[in-house]
Amino acid sequence: MEKGTGSPAAGGSCPQKNAEILSSQYGINLFLAGLLLTFAWAVHAVGISKSHLLSYLITLMLIQLLWMLWYLCRSCTQRRLIRDKDTHAGARWLKCGITLFAVITLILDSFKIGYYIDFSNCLSPTEGIFPVTHAAHTILQVYFLWCHAKDIIQSFKTLERFGVIHSVFTNLLLWTNGVLTESKHQLNEHKERLITLGFGNITIVLDDHAPQCNCTTTTLCSIFSQGIYYLYPFNIEYHILASTMLYVLWKNIGRKVEHHQQHKTPFKFHGITVGMIFGLIVLTSTIAVVVVYLIQIGRSKIKSELALTMFYLHAIFVLALMCTAGVVALLIYRLEDRSLDNSKNPARKLDAELLVGTAAGSWLLSWGSILAIICAQAHPKYTWFNLPYSVLVIIEKYIQNLFIIESIHREQEKANDDIKTLRIVTISRGSTLSLTPSYKEIYNGRAARDIGELPCLVSSSICARESDGGGGANEETSQGNSPVMRSASEFSFYSRSSVADNKRRILKNIAAFLFLCNLSLWIPPAFGCRPEYDNGLEEIVFGFEPWIIVVNLAMPFSIFYRMHSAASLFEVNCKT
Amino acid sequence: MEKGTGSPAAGGSCPQKNAEILSSQYGINLFLAGLLLTFAWAVHAVGISKSHLLSYLITLMLIQLLWMLWYLCRSCTQRRLIRDKDTHAGARWLKCGITLFAVITLILDSFKIGYYIDFSNCLSPTEGIFPVTHAAHTILQVYFLWCHAKDIIQSFKTLERFGVIHSVFTNLLLWTNGVLTESKHQLNEHKERLITLGFGNITIVLDDHAPQCNCTTTTLCSIFSQGIYYLYPFNIEYHILASTMLYVLWKNIGRKVEHHQQHKTPFKFHGITVGMIFGLIVLTSTIAVVVVYLIQIGRSKIKSELALTMFYLHAIFVLALMCTAGVVALLIYRLEDRSLDNSKNPARKLDAELLVGTAAGSWLLSWGSILAIICAQAHPKYTWFNLPYSVLVIIEKYIQNLFIIESIHREQEKANDDIKTLRIVTISRGSTLSLTPSYKEIYNGRAARDIGELPCLVSSSICARESDGGGGANEETSQGNSPVMRSASEFSFYSRSSVADNKRRILKNIAAFLFLCNLSLWIPPAFGCRPEYDNGLEEIVFGFEPWIIVVNLAMPFSIFYRMHSAASLFEVNCKT
């Protein structure tokens, strides 16, 4: 009845808030139902089997496929509907990363199909349908993200919201499923090691270890079943990345953006050689340590202890280096006082929240280790390395988060650069009147769009120029009279410029180094180095079952943290 | 080096972002360390006792006490420093609520002190120090929240941030501790019931049941130990409320607010009689059901089944009523199209997030029940009531969240009311010139403060009036000529006004009814009705241990949801 009196904007915003809550609650329920199915499968609930869980996941994926097809068709036919793009969302390197992970996920799917064919006698049909659906889902989703990750949807908002949030939580469930499979595998390996080391007192049951029937082609079977677990970490990263990208898409629906051109900042290898070299050293040494660790652990008590000692010493060294690098970067930031960009940016906000949120996973594990070391009755020598390791893990993430979040909030340096160029010209020529055209050219060209951020520097130099120009009747004489002053200015400028350049180079190197370090530190937990299991200390203090629950809950976030911080540091490197 | 060139605003915002991340990470680590200590105590970790946990909590509380004292002293001496207030934060009814809970918490503390004195032979001193510190902490914190919950801190931001976030997480840890003690107690009661019902096959160990020595004064001892568990639910609510209020204080630090006067909207009983009556019926019937349930459950198999059936039927009836009320309210909102207030408001944002976030706890439990019913092999008759109950719990929270979040985002109705009053006068008198004084009176009195929200309506009527006034020489004739038009306008206006008033009255009644219903539904879980344990179905499907973990993790959020939604509905009722 009163509908007519409302303004159009108001009429639009009310259903939108509703659609937001409606869809998010739908998504949460979808996720919770799936989570409980997964949980039920994990605890071997009566009457719930793996095929129930897989059927649920297949249904969700098919619904998402249909929605994506509808969206793609609609956006092809009605191109004019989606005009706004969020320049911050779906960066190119993020798309490349997700494509890489998706390709490996497709290999994983083909392995699973092969595995199903080999064991088809004793596996339910869902185990064959699942990888096929998953492969189709992966291909279409990557295509969808390449084309539409930057969209700001303005039409059919309610339906779009449901579709996008459905996709977000479908990917999160697939991530949960991957994480659980991986955890079960790790736990089985850990139990096998305990059997080898002769711990008979723990009731050891291997979980979902192998199918109950024989394989048709033996060599292929072992390749498939072994290979799957080396590919899982990439599959896990793929799903979590996809769900964050889709979440940003969801947050952007119906948003109003101010159009400001973002200059593309391509990645350059130039000038980060030192950081790259140190980073590559860390990367190769980490790979070597992981290989040795996985070979040695669980062979015998002495070999295990040696492997653990090696792992801890290496990690302590790397983490100490990373802490130092982070502190240096933060000190440089404290020296130069630049304003922060506080404009609305869902992609960046999510990045910052994910960094702190997922770091909490590994902090939890570290506090567990610290508590265990303090409270344990017996301390074998190698367990003492665990204390500095755990403390450093906490401090390193603390510092690194500060560095990354400050970096992604800093405004682009372009404005300052322009001022410098301007000064070079102004000062080196010495005469103000003669250079006015070139000054104007630069000013109008690049600095104009950043005018809001140069409050005093530019205006003061303009004032200086104008007052010079005003009294510029005796131009020739003043030009002749000031060689000393000029060279002093030149010197002060060049030193300032070179200091700023040096700072920037150091920051770029630090970002590159930390990027490679984070990539390195992703490898050990993702591929099954679990010192939290293997050193035995926490298991004794907390008990076998409780500690395994803590590790399995916290570890996925800890692993994701490394990949996510690496991605953020790549962005920092490009921006600096 | 470049420090001097930065503008003051830029210099201020950069350390502020830093202080935000620094302090939040500090708080998270504080919380995680405490969480692991609590977990270690709960799983009986080797070498970690209750006194370790209590010492940690006492230390945190003492630090918070010192900080609050420092803050109170400083704000007394330097009153001018804190001038800005967030009118949305720390509402009066919230303060009253927290004071009520705090008083009951103080009674709980005195019970604990009495309990400690009685059993002092075999309890560690920390169990005596803890309630004393806690009582001091409670008194000072309530005083602090009364005086400073609305503060927008602008000075010493880093130190304040650390202090406030320390307080937030200290309260969260005290909440966790309360929740765990309560859960252990419930679990013990459940195990005792299982023993009575003859389930010997589950390995039953009563946890932290009673001290190992005799009491000095027997009657007092049983009063204390019994009484403590009836007071815990209030203690739990007190801490979570305090931590949300402190979190809003933290979010407000360094914020810049536009000053817009908020009119106080006191709570009135007038006009909500119907809602109150129905709500009170639900409240009393719920209390009756809880008492009968707690007496009957676990006595014998038949009595237990009867108690469960009664509980489910009652809950289904109440939830169905609540769903209907919620749907009616949402339909009324859909009929009138009013704009949403999207201004920045940390208190409101937190409210909305907490509603959806904590509802997830009870959704998880409901999905567990639904899954269990679908998958269970045997279905005793009473378990079938569990299905509609669980489905209704999900739907009711879904609808209620939509209603509350839309309500708290709607703009105040004052503006529209004033326009209507204005119209009554304008139209019913027919003459514009003669009513100018009364028009002005109303306009200046109430509508002036909402001037920003009446863009076209008022200005157009002013224009109309002025143009009338300009041509108002033949005033008498025009007044005589328009009786038909006038009465038509009067009719259309009055019907519109009464429809709007009716809608508003219905909404107020619905909010009052839902408020009392939520308060009612808080009682059963808070005081130990656990049909999720007692019906046995979920325990059989998921297994005893896994299901108990799920319930103990999700239940605190589910209980908090009810209290929080009641608080929000009270606010909705005041605002409508």
Side-chain angles (χ1 to χ4, degrees):
Chain A
M1 194 171 177
E2 288 186 58
K3 209 155 196 165
T5 60
S7 68
S13 87
C14 185
Q16 189 184 326
K17 188 82 203 167
N18 252 305
E20 197 181 316
I21 306 156
L22 265 173
S23 62
S24 62
Q25 295 199 128
Y26 159 76
I28 290 171
N29 275 296
L30 197 81
F31 181 67
L32 289 175
L35 205 62
L36 263 167
L37 259 174
T38 315
F39 177 74
W41 169 56
V43 301
H44 303 284
V46 182
I48 297 170
S49 68
K50 196 178 178 180
S51 62
H52 289 118
L53 174 62
L54 292 181
S55 313
Y56 184 72
L57 291 176
I58 290 167
T59 317
L60 294 187
M61 284 193 288
L62 288 176
I63 294 172
Q64 192 191 334
L65 272 177
L66 285 178
W67 177 78
M68 286 192 297
L69 282 174
W70 173 81
Y71 186 90
L72 288 170
C73 290
R74 214 174 64 87
S75 64
C76 276
T77 52
Q78 294 164 290
R79 278 199 180 276
R80 59 176 181 77
L81 279 178
I82 297 148
R83 288 157 303 178
D84 290 331
K85 298 270 178 188
D86 180 1
T87 46
H88 302 287
R92 186 177 292 269
W93 51 268
L94 204 59
K95 287 177 186 167
C96 292
I98 210 172
T99 313
L100 176 71
F101 290 135
V103 169
I104 301 174
T105 299
L106 288 176
I107 299 171
L108 173 67
D109 282 331
S110 61
F111 272 41
K112 277 187 181 173
I113 296 168
Y115 185 80
Y116 171 72
I117 293 167
D118 282 337
F119 287 102
S120 54
N121 296 327
C122 55
L123 291 175
S124 79
T126 48
E127 302 226 21
I129 300 169
F130 181 78
V132 175
T133 323
H134 191 258
H137 178 262
T138 304
I139 292 167
L140 195 68
Q141 183 166 274
V142 169
Y143 176 74
F144 176 83
L145 286 174
W146 264 98
C147 299
H148 297 287
K150 288 174 183 291
D151 283 9
I152 295 181
I153 302 163
Q154 301 286 6
S155 57
F156 285 108
K157 283 172 216 164
T158 304
L159 188 57
E160 318 298 55
R161 273 195 184 276
F162 272 89
V164 179
I165 207 80
H166 179 95
S167 313
V168 170
F169 282 104
T170 302
N171 275 288
L172 266 187
L173 272 179
L174 289 169
W175 173 74
T176 318
N177 189 43
V179 161
L180 186 66
T181 314
E182 179 71 9
S183 297
K184 278 198 174 188
H185 175 69
Q186 298 298 341
L187 199 56
N188 282 338
E189 290 209 329
H190 177 51
K191 284 174 181 171
E192 282 174 343
R193 279 177 211 147
L194 286 179
I195 294 169
T196 318
L197 294 175
F199 289 96
N201 54 348
I202 301 163
T203 50
I204 290 167
V205 188
L206 294 182
D207 204 6
D208 293 313
H209 195 53
Q212 299 296 311
C213 59
N214 284 327
C215 176
T216 46
T217 50
T218 324
T219 43
L220 269 179
C221 281
S222 68
I223 291 172
F224 286 151
S225 59
Q226 292 280 309
I228 283 175
Y229 291 105
Y230 288 102
L231 301 176
Y232 253 109
F234 302 101
N235 174 38
I236 291 170
E237 292 302 326
Y238 161 70
H239 282 300
I240 194 92
L241 265 183
S243 90
T244 56
M245 286 175 81
L246 288 162
Y247 177 76
V248 171
L249 184 63
W250 182 76
K251 283 299 268 188
N252 272 334
I253 293 176
R255 209 181 122 203
K256 280 173 195 69
V257 278
E258 325 75 82
H259 281 277
H260 52 90
Q261 200 71 29
Q262 203 203 15
H263 11 263
K264 277 198 180 145
T265 42
F267 174 71
K268 279 183 224 138
F269 278 101
H270 179 70
I272 51 167
T273 330
V274 183
M276 291 291 282
I277 289 171
F278 276 97
L280 286 173
I281 292 170
V282 169
L283 184 63
T284 43
S285 67
T286 309
I287 293 172
V289 165
V290 168
V291 171
V292 174
Y293 182 94
L294 289 178
I295 292 169
Q296 295 292 313
I297 201 82
R299 290 284 159 108
S300 71
K301 210 165 172 342
I302 296 164
K303 282 185 178 172
S304 291
E305 287 182 9
L306 274 174
L308 278 168
T309 310
M310 177 196 65
F311 178 88
Y312 282 132
L313 284 176
H314 175 259
I316 289 169
F317 183 68
V318 172
L319 289 170
L321 273 183
M322 291 168 77
C323 285
T324 319
V327 168
V328 170
L330 284 176
L331 285 177
I332 292 175
Y333 279 164
R334 286 291 72 70
L335 287 179
E336 55 177 40
D337 218 2
R338 203 188 300 166
S339 65
L340 293 191
D341 171 22
N342 282 318
S343 61
K344 204 179 174 185
N345 183 343
R348 187 175 60 193
K349 188 159 178 276
L350 181 67
D351 273 352
E353 282 170 359
L354 279 179
L355 278 175
V356 178
T358 56
S362 87
W363 285 333
L364 190 72
L365 290 178
S366 297
W367 282 111
S369 299
I370 293 171
L371 214 62
I373 296 160
I374 295 171
C375 299
Q377 261 99 39
H379 288 98
K381 203 181 128 204
Y382 66 93
T383 55
W384 282 112
F385 295 118
N386 200 356
L387 188 62
Y389 168 73
S390 302
V391 172
L392 275 172
V393 164
I394 296 175
I395 295 173
E396 189 270 321
K397 284 187 177 147
Y398 207 114
I399 294 171
Q400 183 168 286
N401 283 349
L402 277 175
F403 170 61
I404 296 176
I405 295 174
E406 186 164 349
S407 302
I408 56 179
H409 277 89
R410 283 163 77 87
E411 289 185 338
Q412 295 277 50
E413 215 173 3
K414 292 284 165 193
N416 280 358
D417 280 0
D418 291 345
I419 298 165
K420 279 167 209 155
T421 327
L422 197 125
R423 280 199 177 165
I424 294 184
V425 184
T426 327
I427 295 163
S428 61
R429 291 217 192 167
S431 153
T432 48
L433 216 68
S434 61
L435 62 84
T436 313
S438 71
Y439 165 79
K440 266 195 181 151
E441 196 182 296
I442 296 155
Y443 187 79
N444 293 336
R446 280 194 290 166
R449 53 173 180 272
D450 300 307
I451 188 73
E453 292 132 25
L454 333 167
C456 56
L457 243 77
V458 165
S459 56
S460 69
S461 71
I462 291 172
C463 292
R465 185 177 60 82
E466 279 172 357
S467 66
D468 271 11
N474 49 357
E475 183 189 325
E476 291 295 316
T477 47
S478 75
Q479 199 176 1
N481 283 348
S482 59
V484 182
M485 196 192 91
R486 193 201 312 163
S487 65
S489 315
E490 261 171 64
F491 175 75
S492 108
F493 167 71
Y494 277 118
S495 71
R496 178 174 291 191
S497 165
S498 72
V499 164
D501 272 359
N502 277 339
K503 276 184 196 163
R504 200 175 140 191
R505 201 175 302 127
I506 294 170
L507 285 175
K508 271 184 100 73
N509 275 298
I510 287 174
F513 172 69
L514 287 177
F515 164 72
L516 285 170
C517 284
N518 276 284
L519 221 53
S520 312
L521 292 183
W522 175 75
I523 296 168
F527 290 92
C529 287
R530 294 267 190 284
E532 296 85 3
Y533 284 161
D534 297 317
N535 78 49
L537 199 71
E538 293 95 342
E539 274 178 16
I540 293 167
V541 172
F542 287 96
F544 188 71
E545 289 271 330
W547 182 244
I548 276 175
I549 292 173
V550 172
V551 172
N552 281 329
L553 286 178
M555 191 55 91
F557 298 101
S558 176
I559 295 173
F560 174 63
Y561 173 83
R562 286 295 169 200
M563 190 49 85
H564 186 67
S565 58
S568 301
L569 282 162
F570 188 85
E571 198 189 332
V572 170
N573 190 17
C574 290
K575 267 185 80 175
T576 307
Chain B
M1 192 171 178
E2 289 188 55
K3 209 156 198 166
T5 62
S7 67
S13 89
C14 185
Q16 190 183 325
K17 189 81 202 168
N18 252 305
E20 199 181 316
I21 306 156
L22 264 173
S23 63
S24 62
Q25 295 199 128
Y26 158 77
I28 290 170
N29 275 298
L30 197 81
F31 181 66
L32 289 176
L35 205 63
L36 263 169
L37 259 175
T38 317
F39 177 75
W41 170 55
V43 300
H44 304 283
V46 182
I48 296 171
S49 68
K50 196 179 179 181
S51 61
H52 289 119
L53 173 63
L54 291 182
S55 312
Y56 184 71
L57 291 176
I58 290 168
T59 316
L60 293 188
M61 284 194 288
L62 288 176
I63 294 172
Q64 192 192 333
L65 271 176
L66 283 179
W67 176 77
M68 287 194 295
L69 282 174
W70 172 80
Y71 186 90
L72 288 171
C73 289
R74 212 173 66 85
S75 64
C76 276
T77 52
Q78 294 164 291
R79 278 197 180 279
R80 61 178 179 75
L81 280 178
I82 296 145
R83 287 157 304 178
D84 289 331
K85 297 270 178 188
D86 179 2
T87 46
H88 302 287
R92 186 176 292 269
W93 51 269
L94 205 59
K95 287 178 186 166
C96 292
I98 209 171
T99 312
L100 176 72
F101 290 136
V103 168
I104 300 173
T105 299
L106 288 176
I107 299 171
L108 172 69
D109 282 331
S110 61
F111 271 42
K112 277 187 181 172
I113 295 170
Y115 185 80
Y116 172 72
I117 292 168
D118 282 338
F119 286 103
S120 53
N121 296 328
C122 55
L123 292 176
S124 79
T126 47
E127 302 226 22
I129 300 169
F130 180 77
V132 175
T133 323
H134 192 259
H137 177 263
T138 304
I139 293 168
L140 194 68
Q141 183 166 274
V142 170
Y143 176 73
F144 176 83
L145 287 174
W146 265 98
C147 298
H148 297 285
K150 287 172 183 293
D151 282 8
I152 294 180
I153 301 165
Q154 301 286 7
S155 57
F156 285 107
K157 283 171 216 166
T158 304
L159 189 57
E160 318 297 58
R161 273 195 184 276
F162 272 89
V164 179
I165 208 79
H166 179 95
S167 313
V168 170
F169 283 104
T170 303
N171 275 287
L172 266 187
L173 272 180
L174 290 168
W175 173 74
T176 318
N177 189 43
V179 161
L180 186 67
T181 314
E182 179 71 8
S183 297
K184 279 199 173 188
H185 174 69
Q186 299 296 343
L187 200 56
N188 281 339
E189 289 208 329
H190 176 51
K191 284 174 180 170
E192 282 175 341
R193 278 177 210 147
L194 286 180
I195 294 169
T196 318
L197 293 174
F199 288 96
N201 52 349
I202 301 163
T203 49
I204 289 167
V205 187
L206 294 181
D207 204 4
D208 291 314
H209 195 51
Q212 299 296 314
C213 60
N214 283 327
C215 176
T216 46
T217 51
T218 324
T219 44
L220 271 178
C221 281
S222 68
I223 291 173
F224 286 149
S225 59
Q226 293 280 307
I228 283 174
Y229 291 104
Y230 288 100
L231 300 177
Y232 253 110
F234 301 102
N235 174 38
I236 291 169
E237 292 301 327
Y238 161 69
H239 281 300
I240 194 94
L241 266 182
S243 87
T244 56
M245 286 174 82
L246 287 163
Y247 177 76
V248 171
L249 184 63
W250 182 76
K251 284 297 269 184
N252 273 335
I253 293 176
R255 208 180 124 205
K256 280 173 195 66
V257 279
E258 326 76 82
H259 281 279
H260 52 90
Q261 199 71 29
Q262 203 203 18
H263 14 263
K264 276 197 181 147
T265 42
F267 174 71
K268 279 183 222 138
F269 277 102
H270 180 71
I272 51 167
T273 330
V274 183
M276 290 291 282
I277 289 171
F278 275 97
L280 287 173
I281 292 170
V282 169
L283 184 63
T284 44
S285 68
T286 309
I287 293 172
V289 165
V290 167
V291 170
V292 174
Y293 183 93
L294 289 178
I295 292 170
Q296 295 291 314
I297 201 81
R299 290 286 157 107
S300 72
K301 210 167 171 344
I302 297 164
K303 280 185 178 171
S304 290
E305 288 184 8
L306 274 175
L308 279 168
T309 311
M310 176 195 67
F311 177 87
Y312 281 131
L313 285 177
H314 174 260
I316 289 169
F317 183 69
V318 172
L319 288 171
L321 272 182
M322 290 168 77
C323 285
T324 319
V327 169
V328 170
L330 284 175
L331 285 177
I332 291 175
Y333 279 164
R334 286 290 73 70
L335 288 178
E336 53 177 41
D337 217 1
R338 204 187 300 167
S339 66
L340 292 191
D341 171 21
N342 282 319
S343 61
K344 202 178 176 187
N345 183 343
R348 186 174 63 193
K349 188 157 179 278
L350 180 68
D351 273 353
E353 283 170 358
L354 279 179
L355 279 174
V356 178
T358 56
S362 87
W363 285 333
L364 190 73
L365 289 179
S366 297
W367 282 111
S369 298
I370 293 170
L371 213 62
I373 296 160
I374 296 169
C375 298
Q377 260 99 40
H379 288 97
K381 203 180 129 204
Y382 66 93
T383 56
W384 281 113
F385 295 118
N386 199 356
L387 188 61
Y389 168 73
S390 302
V391 172
L392 275 172
V393 164
I394 295 173
I395 295 173
E396 190 269 322
K397 283 187 179 148
Y398 207 114
I399 294 171
Q400 185 168 284
N401 283 348
L402 277 176
F403 169 61
I404 295 176
I405 294 173
E406 187 164 349
S407 300
I408 57 178
H409 277 89
R410 284 161 77 87
E411 288 184 340
Q412 295 277 51
E413 210 173 8
K414 294 284 163 192
N416 280 358
D417 279 3
D418 291 343
I419 299 164
K420 279 167 208 155
T421 327
L422 198 124
R423 279 196 179 165
I424 293 184
V425 186
T426 328
I427 296 162
S428 61
R429 290 216 189 169
S431 155
T432 48
L433 215 68
S434 60
L435 61 81
T436 313
S438 70
Y439 163 79
K440 267 200 179 146
E441 196 182 297
I442 295 156
Y443 185 79
N444 292 335
R446 279 194 292 166
R449 54 173 181 270
D450 300 306
I451 189 73
E453 290 135 26
L454 335 166
C456 55
L457 246 78
V458 165
S459 56
S460 68
S461 73
I462 291 172
C463 294
R465 186 177 61 82
E466 280 171 356
S467 66
D468 271 10
N474 49 356
E475 183 191 323
E476 291 295 315
T477 47
S478 76
Q479 199 177 359
N481 282 351
S482 59
V484 182
M485 197 194 90
R486 193 201 311 164
S487 65
S489 314
E490 264 172 60
F491 174 76
S492 107
F493 169 72
Y494 278 117
S495 70
R496 176 177 291 192
S497 165
S498 71
V499 164
D501 272 1
N502 278 338
K503 274 183 197 163
R504 198 175 141 191
R505 200 175 301 127
I506 294 170
L507 285 174
K508 272 185 98 73
N509 274 296
I510 287 174
F513 172 69
L514 287 178
F515 164 72
L516 285 169
C517 283
N518 275 285
L519 221 52
S520 313
L521 292 182
W522 175 75
I523 296 169
F527 290 92
C529 288
R530 294 268 190 283
E532 296 85 3
Y533 284 163
D534 298 318
N535 79 50
L537 198 70
E538 294 94 343
E539 274 178 15
I540 293 167
V541 172
F542 288 97
F544 187 72
E545 288 271 332
W547 182 244
I548 275 175
I549 291 172
V550 172
V551 172
N552 281 329
L553 286 179
M555 192 56 91
F557 298 100
S558 174
I559 295 173
F560 174 64
Y561 173 83
R562 286 295 169 200
M563 189 50 85
H564 186 68
S565 59
S568 301
L569 284 161
F570 188 86
E571 198 189 333
V572 169
N573 190 15
C574 290
K575 267 185 79 175
T576 306

